[in-house]
Amino acid sequence: MPTLYDCLIIGGGPAGLSAAIYASRGKLNTVVFERSKIGGQAAITDDIENYPGSVEEATGPKIVKRMREQAESFGTCFVMEEVKKVELSEKIKKVITTKGCYEGKTVIIATGAEHMKLNVPGEEEFIGKGVSYCATCDADFFTDLDVVVVGGGDSAVQEALYLTKFAKNVTIIHRRDKLRANKCLQDKAFKNPKIKFLWDSIVERIEGDGIVEKIIVRNVKTGELKEVKTDGVFIFIGMKPSTEIFKGLIEMDERGYILTDENMRTNIEGVFAAGDCRAKLLRQIVTAAADGAIAAVAAERYIEELEC
C-alpha cells in the first residue's frame, strides 16, 4: 500500500463506493475505510425498485457487492477499520484508525446517517420483513395493506402521506397528543381519509411469524396496553448523521449534517462530503451514488490544481 494516498474515503456505503469507482478509475490511489459492513444502509435493504436501471429482483446487497467489485477492479483498497480521528487542516490529510495512521492528499467523507430506532423487541428481527425506515423505498410492497407510522414530526407525516398512495390504511402513532409537523402537513394529514391517529402512545414491541403481524402499544398517560394488527411498521423518529468525529473541524448545520457546495466541497480545501452525511433534500442510493461521483471528480481536479 502506498505511504501517501491520493484519496482517503471514509465510509463504504453507496456514496463511498461510487466515489471509489470514480477516483480509482481516474488513476487516483484510493482507500476506503469501513468500520462494520460494506454497503451501509443499502446492505440491509432487501428490495430496491427505484434505483435506475436495476435488474429484476435487485437487492441492496447485490447492488453494493457489484459496486465493491467495480471499485476493486479499478484498484481501490478496502480497509476494515474504524476511523477514530482525522487531521484535515494541513495540505496532507491524516486519517487515524484503530490500527494505524493513513495519509492522503484529499479526503471524502461518506459516513452516512443512521435512522434513530425504537429499540424495542422485534424491531431488529423484522427489518426488511415489515419494519422499514423509508417509505419512498418500500411503500409499494404494502399496496392495499394496513401500516403504521411511528413519529409526529415533518418526516413522519410526509412519509405517512406518501404511504396513502399505496396502503389501504395508515395509522400515525405519536407519543404526544398533537403532532410536531408543520401546520401545512398537519392539515393535509387530518384531511386525508386514509390516515388515522393513535395519540399518547408508544410501541412496546413488534410481533409476527416471519413477517410483521401486529404491534403492542402502550398509552403513556394510562399505561394501558393495546394490540394493533398491522402489516408494516414505518419508523420516523429522526435521523442522526454519523459525523461526530468531524464536529469542530468542518462546517455543519444545526443537526450535524455537513455543509457542502454543489461540487461536494466542504469549508476545508481538499475535503469533500458525499451521501447521507451531508445536508441535502433526498437521501437515497441514487443520490448517494451521484454525490460520490461528483466528490471524486472534484477531488481529482483539486489534486491536478495542487500539482500544477
Side-chain angles (χ1 to χ4, degrees), residues 44-65:
I44 58 171
T45 304
D46 284 339
D47 296 285
I48 297 176
E49 293 187 330
N50 59 353
Y51 188 78
S54 287
V55 296
E56 189 175 349
E57 297 182 359
T59 67
K62 284 182 181 177
I63 289 174
V64 296
K65 180 176 181 290

Side-chain angles (χ1 to χ4, degrees), residues 226-241:
K226 179 179 180 180
E227 180 180 296
V228 178
K229 292 191 179 298
T230 186
D231 300 296
V233 181
F234 286 81
I235 300 167
F236 302 109
I237 57 174
M239 289 192 73
K240 181 182 179 183

Side-chain angles (χ1 to χ4, degrees), residues 2-212:
T3 55
L4 178 64
Y5 285 92
D6 293 313
C7 189
L8 307 172
I9 300 173
I10 307 174
L17 292 171
S18 177
I21 291 168
Y22 274 76
S24 294
R25 191 168 181 269
K27 306 303 181 183
L28 302 184
N29 289 323
T30 303
V31 60
V32 174
F33 301 94
E34 175 53 55
R35 64 181 179 180
S36 54
K37 186 175 184 179
I38 296 295
Q41 295 287 336
I44 58 171
T45 304
D46 284 339
D47 296 285
I48 297 176
E49 293 187 330
N50 59 353
Y51 188 78
S54 287
V55 296
E56 189 175 349
E57 297 182 359
T59 67
K62 284 182 181 177
I63 289 174
V64 296
K65 180 176 181 290
R66 176 60 181 143
M67 285 182 171
R68 178 173 184 168
E69 290 171 349
Q70 284 179 282
E72 288 178 325
S73 73
F74 293 123
T76 298
C77 173
F78 284 85
V79 173
M80 302 306 290
E81 297 172 15
E82 183 178 1
V83 174
K84 305 296 287 186
K85 183 182 177 183
V86 292
E87 296 178 6
L88 307 174
S89 59
E90 302 298 325
K91 184 177 178 181
I92 299 302
K93 318 299 181 186
K94 292 182 181 181
V95 169
I96 296 95
T97 72
T98 48
K99 296 184 179 179
C101 178
Y102 300 78
E103 296 185 339
K105 299 173 185 176
T106 64
V107 169
I108 297 176
I109 301 168
T111 47
E114 297 178 322
H115 291 278
M116 294 177 67
K117 296 184 177 181
L118 298 174
N119 295 318
V120 298
E123 182 176 9
E124 292 288 336
E125 177 186 350
F126 292 110
I127 290 176
K129 300 173 184 177
V131 169
S132 174
Y133 303 89
C134 178
T136 309
C137 310
D138 299 330
D140 187 46
F141 303 121
F142 295 87
T143 300
D144 296 327
L145 299 177
D146 293 321
V147 300
V148 299
V149 168
V150 183
D154 286 353
S155 294
V157 178
Q158 282 174 334
E159 301 291 351
L161 288 165
Y162 182 80
L163 282 163
T164 61
K165 299 177 182 179
F166 303 88
K168 181 169 64 177
N169 292 296
V170 178
T171 300
I172 294 177
I173 300 174
H174 189 38
R175 62 167 55 244
R176 299 179 177 85
D177 58 3
K178 59 184 177 180
L179 299 173
R180 293 182 291 109
N182 69 67
K183 187 66 166 56
C184 181
L185 284 173
Q186 289 192 42
D187 289 343
K188 289 180 181 179
F190 291 138
K191 291 176 183 176
N192 193 306
K194 283 190 173 184
I195 295 179
K196 298 182 292 184
F197 299 88
L198 190 53
W199 304 110
D200 300 316
S201 298
I202 59 174
V203 176
E204 288 282 294
R205 60 183 183 272
I206 302 168
E207 299 180 350
D209 184 8
I211 60 173
V212 169

Side-chain angles (χ1 to χ4, degrees), residues 203-223:
V203 176
E204 288 282 294
R205 60 183 183 272
I206 302 168
E207 299 180 350
D209 184 8
I211 60 173
V212 169
E213 295 174 344
K214 62 183 178 181
I215 59 173
I216 307 300
V217 299
R218 177 172 61 84
N219 186 290
V220 296
K221 291 182 176 178
T222 67

